[in-house]
Amino acid sequence: MSEDLQALQRRLTAFAAARRWQQYHVPKNLAAALSVEASELLEIFQWMTPEEAGRVMEDAGTAHRVEDEVADVLAYLLQFCQVLEIDVLKALSAKIDRNELRFPTPAEDEGPGTLHPTG
């Protein structure tokens, strides 16, 4: 894991410890909090057209909300990984490797690829 992510994980751990929140930072609670924060990110886009969603960062107020929710999602994901001792970058790299095997690049004469769940 990069030093930057490790430093952020240490800051998050220290923040929680200073407030005596470690007892609540168990996998179930962190997974639930992660889901809630991801839903709050989705809520911003809920009634937007695809075109509006593509321009979401052009409005300073909306951009700030998106950045805050992205930060919340990442914070809970990093804390979740810390508790379960998951190297998030290693896990992501392994998942990309599996997806490259699972979803090979289409031949040039096949046209656009189809969307598949990453499962």
Side-chain angles (χ1 to χ4, degrees):
M1 183 178 304
S2 77
E3 276 304 311
D4 291 335
L5 282 179
Q6 288 178 349
L8 290 171
Q9 280 184 316
R10 285 192 299 272
R11 285 182 65 192
L12 289 165
T13 299
F15 182 87
R19 288 151 184 82
R20 299 186 185 110
W21 291 348
Q22 307 97 314
Q23 64 185 331
Y24 308 111
H25 285 202
V26 297
K28 180 194 83 64
N29 292 350
L30 292 169
L34 176 57
S35 176
V36 169
E37 295 302 338
S39 294
E40 290 178 7
L41 177 60
L42 177 59
E43 182 181 30
I44 296 168
F45 295 89
Q46 185 173 8
W47 302 113
M48 289 183 183
T49 65
E51 294 77 21
E52 290 169 332
R55 296 188 309 270
V56 72
M57 300 306 285
E58 294 174 8
D59 176 74
T62 307
H64 180 72
R65 288 179 55 214
V66 169
E67 289 173 352
D68 272 358
E69 296 308 334
V70 166
D72 288 342
V73 167
L74 182 58
Y76 280 116
L77 179 61
L78 290 176
Q79 291 173 89
F80 180 83
C81 290
Q82 174 107 15
V83 166
L84 292 179
E85 298 179 359
I86 296 170
D87 181 329
V88 67
L89 295 181
K90 183 178 175 183
L92 177 58
S93 180
K95 181 65 175 184
I96 293 169
D97 290 344
R98 288 191 303 276
N99 282 342
E100 287 173 340
L101 294 173
R102 185 174 174 198
F103 306 109
T105 306
E108 288 196 31
D109 61 348
E110 289 183 37
T114 58
L115 295 177
H116 297 281
T118 58

